[in-house]
């Protein structure tokens, strides 16, 4: 069950010649693929490309009508390997994944694909997840393009340019027998706009037809001596053809006046930010018409030497806007101009930050600095003054009271009780070496749990503990999610541990989905998927590769059982890897699944029960240990209207989803018994209504009796 359904939006993919598409960037990319006659599509989810995979899943019927094969690949490497269909057959194929982590995983397949080359167009759509909002290490895709000689497109962030880039990418790939990467940043994936559509094209040769007429060409297979010839072919044949194609088709764009004292060379993806900075400096209008010459690199690799030389001719200086580090483009342009004896100064990271996201303010400061130093006459007087150091602003009063809130588990998350149990085990058995993994469970490294010391990659949690499996006083613990397990963890982590007789504990967090990427199904998902095979237990898989000690827990909210099972794994005399599969459905997906059903049941007049939890303020001791072992966002504090109780007590707010973790933690940790459960009943039965009225009368009577007793005691005390 994906985070968002595109079932209605995918109908826009049926638009024909001359119609107008209105919608989101990822849907536009899918439409462009169909217009280009793509024969097969696939990929692996990951921000900012997850929704593209969701669109493809929801558009399966439309794809099938056109004879297009859709594959939800097991990993990025599996997706890249699927492009092998374009090596011998004139079939266009496209895959999508997150970069750079996905590109890291796919790099072996991409290198082999680029070496042998392709016959049909092969397009790799990478979601460039760079910047402060990223969830990964900060790297760029550019290095992979240069390393493997894959052409890299970085279109201007508007729908017509992105759609055109898809078309250009396929044609460039076919013209040069080289795979092409199309880089789309998170803003490009989710921007809205419009473009004029073309009719969808059925692939001239479908994969079904191709498999019935096998083809092969020995010199396309990456094996010496052919591999040595591939390297020469890339440089002597493919590269010149690519440069000629890019130049003749005008894939890069020029804006503004042809001549000028200064100019700006920029990545296509940076166009909107640069133009906005020029607007704020009074050098561009709302339509993007600029007084500063711009050379927009919609293709950032390979670069076109004579286009760059022509743009720089007669200019004293050019600013290269290249987000991230290393500054590959700046270095290449500098080398080109130096080799040609051009006097133009190349300025990049001296005006703009060496690394980091180029936000609106960063771009304004950098472009302004460049123009003040190299073309001050272009600026209005108010913009000619140098940037003044910003005076430190006093901290807002709220920031002094409310601490920073790091990212954490959602309300009701079934992973939180797992880490509460680990903290309880830590109290009894001491600290252990713990390795984390990529996924929601990585939030365990933050307060209140502060568990896990390393994370090396998706599915590599147990593998990153391998050095500690050689024995010692305490067994190491590693954590891996179900998404990472099926991605590559079964072989790289579990198989590795079995083969090396690792005597550690491996905790597999199974929340039924690849949840952190948007809730897509995986092999072990419990739901029925109309086109994929699910319901394959993780426990069976680990036993299949040789794990002897396996424990399955089907309700992670049972903190006591989680604690005892972890303690058993750490103390059992049995050697070899100890695997605990802790399973409970992702609460976000569960709420998405159940809320519509409950709303319909209520509307139909059916009895619906929803549990809610609360804290008895008369019982709560106010030590807040429950929060330190739970961390649930719905568990907070409140101050009582009681002069005899100064300390705030625990309280549960209206966002509670009734998972019961708070009470389970309090019970397992032997904390105060202040938590209670209340069932909210919609459309109650007659008996329940009658019992409620009886309880209300009894409660009012008892409350009145209690109040009279208090008044009596107060009178006696006064006397």
């Amino acid at each position: 069950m994906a985070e968002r359904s595109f079932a209605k939006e995918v109908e826009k993919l049926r638009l024909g010649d001359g119609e107008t598409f209105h919608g989101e960037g990822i849907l536009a990319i899918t439409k462009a693929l169909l217009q280009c006659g793509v024969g097969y599509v696939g990929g692996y989810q990951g921000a900012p490309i997850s929704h593209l995979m969701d669109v493809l899943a929801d558009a399966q019927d439309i794809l099938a009508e056109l004879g297009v094969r859709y594959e939800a690949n097991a990993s990025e490497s599996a997706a890249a390997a699927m492009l092998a269909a374009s090596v011998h057959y004139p079939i266009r194929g496209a895959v999508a994944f997150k970069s750079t982590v996905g590109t890291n995983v796919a790099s072996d397949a991409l290198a082999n694909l680029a070496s042998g080359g392709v016959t049909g167009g092969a397009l790799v759509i990478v979601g460039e997840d760079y910047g402060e909002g990223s969830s990964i290490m900060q790297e760029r895709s550019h290095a992979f393009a240069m390393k493997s000689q894959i052409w890299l497109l970085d279109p201007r962030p508007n729908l017509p340019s992105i759609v055109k880039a898809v078309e250009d990418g396929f044609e460039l790939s076919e013209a040069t027998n080289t795979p092409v990467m199309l880089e789309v940043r998170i803003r490009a994936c989710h921007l809205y706009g419009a473009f004029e559509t073309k009719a969808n094209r059925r692939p001239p040769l479908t994969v079904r037809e191709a498999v019935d007429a096998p083809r092969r060409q020995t010199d396309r297979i990456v094996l010496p001596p052919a591999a040595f010839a591939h390297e020469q072919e890339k440089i002597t044949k493919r590269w010149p053809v690519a440069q000629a194609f890019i130049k003749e088709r005008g894939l890069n764009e020029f804006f503004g006046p042809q001549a000028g004292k200064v100019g700006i060379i920029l990545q296509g993806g940076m166009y909107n930010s640069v133009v906005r900075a020029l607007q704020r400096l009074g050098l561009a209008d709302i339509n993007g018409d600029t007084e500063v010459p711009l050379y927009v690199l919609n293709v950032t690799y390979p670069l076109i030497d004579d286009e760059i030389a022509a743009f720089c001719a007669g200019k004293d200086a050019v600013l290269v806007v290249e987000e991230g580090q290393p500054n590959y483009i700046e270095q290449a342009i500098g080398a080109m101009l130096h080799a040609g004896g051009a006097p133009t100064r190349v300025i990049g990271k001296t005006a703009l930050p060496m690394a980091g996201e180029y936000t609106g303010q960063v771009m304004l400061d950098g472009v302004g600095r460049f123009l003040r130093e190299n073309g001050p006459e272009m600026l209005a007087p108010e913009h000619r003054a140098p940037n003044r150091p910003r005076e430190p602003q006093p901290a807002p009063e709220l920031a002094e009271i409310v601490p920073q809130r790091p990212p954490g588990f959602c309300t009701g998350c079934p992973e939180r009780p797992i880490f509460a149990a680990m903290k309880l085990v830590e109290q009894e058995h001491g600290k252990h070496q713990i390795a984390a993994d990529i996924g929601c469970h990585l939030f365990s490294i933050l307060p209140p749990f502060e568990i896990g010391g390393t994370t090396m990659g998706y599915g590599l949690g147990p593998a990153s503990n391998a050095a500690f499996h050689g024995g010692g006083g305490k067994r190491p613990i590693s954590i891996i999610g179900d998404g990472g397990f099926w991605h590559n963890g079964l072989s790289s982590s579990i198989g590795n541990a079995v083969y090396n007789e690792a005597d550690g504990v491996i905790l597999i967090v199974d929340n039924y989905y690849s949840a952190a990427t948007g809730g897509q199904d995986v092999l072990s998902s419990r739901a029925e998927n109309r086109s994929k095979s699910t319901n394959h237990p993780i426990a069976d898989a680990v036993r299949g590769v040789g794990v002897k000690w396996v424990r399955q827990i089907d309700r992670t909210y049972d903190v006591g059982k989680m604690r005892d099972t972890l303690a058993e794994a750490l103390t059992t005399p049995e050697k070899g890897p100890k695997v605990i599969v802790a399973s409970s459905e992702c609460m976000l997906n569960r709420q998405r699944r159940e809320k519509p059903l409950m709303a319909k049941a209520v509307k139909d007049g059916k009895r619906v029960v929803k549990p809610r939890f609360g804290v008895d303020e008369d019982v709560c001791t106010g030590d807040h240990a429950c929060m330190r072992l739970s961390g649930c966002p719905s568990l907070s504090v409140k101050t009582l209207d009681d002069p005899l109780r100064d300390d705030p007590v625990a309280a549960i707010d209206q966002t509670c989803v009734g998972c019961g973790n708070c009470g389970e933690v309090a019970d397992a940790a032997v904390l105060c018994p202040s938590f209670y459960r209340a069932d909210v009943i919609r459309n109650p039965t007659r008996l329940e209504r009658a019992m409620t009225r009886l309880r209300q009368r009894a409660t009012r009577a008892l409350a009145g009796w209690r109040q009279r007793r208090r008044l009596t005691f107060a009178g006696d005390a006064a006397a």
Side-chain angles (χ1 to χ4, degrees), residues 138-218:
Q138 297 297 282
E139 291 184 353
R140 296 166 56 199
S141 303
H142 201 100
F144 289 93
M146 295 196 305
K147 175 189 74 69
S148 297
Q149 295 295 289
I150 297 174
W151 316 139
L152 179 61
L153 275 57
D154 187 2
R156 288 191 294 131
N158 62 70
L159 295 198
S161 294
I162 294 171
V163 170
K164 183 177 182 297
V166 173
E167 298 172 353
D168 292 337
F170 277 127
E171 293 179 5
L172 176 60
S173 176
E174 290 164 345
T176 61
N177 302 117
T178 303
V180 169
M181 294 175 69
L182 173 61
E183 178 180 279
V184 283
R185 293 171 174 81
I186 188 166
R187 292 183 183 88
C189 288
H190 300 300
L191 65 83
Y192 278 75
F195 69 94
E196 186 176 316
T197 63
K198 300 176 184 177
N200 295 335
R201 290 168 46 197
R202 185 178 179 85
L205 178 67
T206 68
V207 289
R208 284 179 174 271
E209 294 164 344
V211 78
D212 292 330
R215 301 183 186 184
R216 66 182 303 275
Q217 189 177 343
T218 304

Side-chain angles (χ1 to χ4, degrees), residues 295-500:
Y295 176 38
V296 180
L297 298 173
N298 292 317
V299 183
T300 54
Y301 188 79
L303 298 174
I304 312 303
D305 302 46
D306 52 357
E307 279 190 354
I308 291 171
F311 179 79
C312 295
K315 293 181 175 61
D316 295 340
V318 293
L319 174 67
V320 178
V321 178
E322 177 182 9
E323 188 176 49
Q325 188 69 2
N327 53 343
Y328 301 114
I329 299 174
E330 180 186 347
Q331 292 179 34
I333 292 174
M336 289 177 194
L337 297 181
H338 176 75
T344 307
R345 288 179 293 115
V346 179
I347 297 170
K349 299 300 184 182
T350 55
L352 289 159
M354 289 285 288
E357 185 175 1
Y358 285 179
T359 62
Q361 187 62 49
V362 168
M363 192 70 77
L364 176 64
D365 293 344
V367 173
R369 185 180 299 113
F370 167 76
L371 292 173
R372 280 189 291 273
E373 294 174 358
N374 298 280
E377 67 281 356
M378 301 183 71
L379 295 169
E382 63 269 22
H383 294 301
R384 292 177 188 171
N387 288 343
R388 297 179 179 177
R390 297 180 187 173
E391 297 181 3
Q393 298 295 318
E397 183 179 348
L398 185 64
E400 297 175 357
I401 301 172
V402 180
Q404 291 186 3
R405 185 173 182 177
F409 298 105
C410 302
T411 301
C413 177
E415 301 185 14
R416 184 179 288 107
I418 296 173
F419 299 107
M422 291 183 73
K423 295 299 286 187
L424 294 175
V425 170
E426 183 181 282
Q427 291 176 4
E428 184 176 351
H429 297 273
K431 291 184 178 293
H432 288 71
Q433 161 60 31
I434 299 176
D437 205 314
I438 303 297
C440 298
H441 42 276
L442 190 57
F443 293 139
S444 64
I445 68 171
L446 301 172
F449 302 115
E450 298 180 298
I451 288 173
T454 57
T455 174
M456 289 292 104
Y458 200 35
L460 297 178
S464 61
N465 246 1
F468 301 103
H469 285 152
K474 294 180 179 178
R475 285 174 174 148
I477 303 172
S478 53
I479 304 161
I480 183 173
D482 49 351
F485 173 85
W486 292 116
H487 179 272
N488 75 329
L490 179 58
S491 59
S492 299
S493 284
I494 308 300
N496 179 71
V498 172
Y499 183 70
N500 289 287

Side-chain angles (χ1 to χ4, degrees), residues 103-127:
T103 316
N104 285 330
V105 173
S107 60
D108 193 13
L110 290 175
N112 280 276
L113 183 73
S115 182
V118 295
T119 301
L123 190 65
V124 182
I125 303 167
V126 293

